[in-house]
């Protein structure tokens, strides 16, 4: 998807907004630092803005959390020249951003035979299935993923 965006708009007008997973989990097994190195293996000069989620507090109003998160995105983007368009792989991915920004589904991963499933990619990485991995990720990232696998998965 990133290649398509760079082709459309040029690298100088492309910014990747990425979550900052400080802790790993089954859903997010790779830290933002490792994801940075994976992205930079393919696009060494891309600008990356890090945006962490607000932790959910007991009794916190979901609407207020959304407002706070959108405010953080606006603050991050205020340092750059606009206008902005957010691209994603599903309507669900873009639903929140679509409340405040222009969005577009670039590769609809929910359509049969289209796009890439992050879940399938994550499962292949965690399983060490390096034969299947090229279906999901750029081959230039596989050495980084192999290194991560060796350092983090106990066999």
């Amino acid at each position: 998807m990133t290649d398509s965006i760079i082709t459309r708009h040029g690298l100088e007008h492309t910014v990747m907004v990425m979550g900052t997973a400080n802790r790993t989990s089954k859903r997010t097994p790779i830290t933002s630092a490792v994801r940075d190195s994976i992205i930079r293996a393919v696009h060494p000069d891309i600008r990356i803005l890090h945006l962490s989620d607000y932790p959910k507090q007991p009794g916190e109003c979901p609407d207020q959390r959304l407002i706070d998160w959108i405010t953080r995105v606006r603050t991050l983007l205020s340092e750059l020249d606009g206008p902005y368009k957010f691209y994603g792989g599903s309507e669900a991915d873009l639903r929140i951003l679509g409340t405040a920004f222009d969005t577009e589904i670039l590769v609809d991963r929910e359509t049969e035979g289209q796009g890439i499933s992050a879940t399938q990619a994550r499962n292949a990485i965690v399983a060490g299935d390096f034969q299947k991995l090229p279906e999901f990720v750029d081959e230039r990232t596989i050495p980084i993923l192999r290194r991560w696998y060796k350092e983090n998965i106990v066999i």
Side-chain angles (χ1 to χ4, degrees), residues 82-101:
Y84 312 103
K85 185 172 211 168
F86 287 87
Y87 295 95
S90 74
E91 192 174 309
D93 286 351
L94 297 172
R95 189 171 295 125
I96 291 173
L97 287 167
T99 64
F101 301 100

Side-chain angles (χ1 to χ4, degrees), residues 43-59:
H43 302 289
D45 298 322
I46 197 166
R47 288 182 291 176
I48 300 174
L49 294 179
H50 294 277
L51 178 67
S52 59
D53 290 335
Y54 278 100
K56 259 191 171 174
Q57 301 297 324

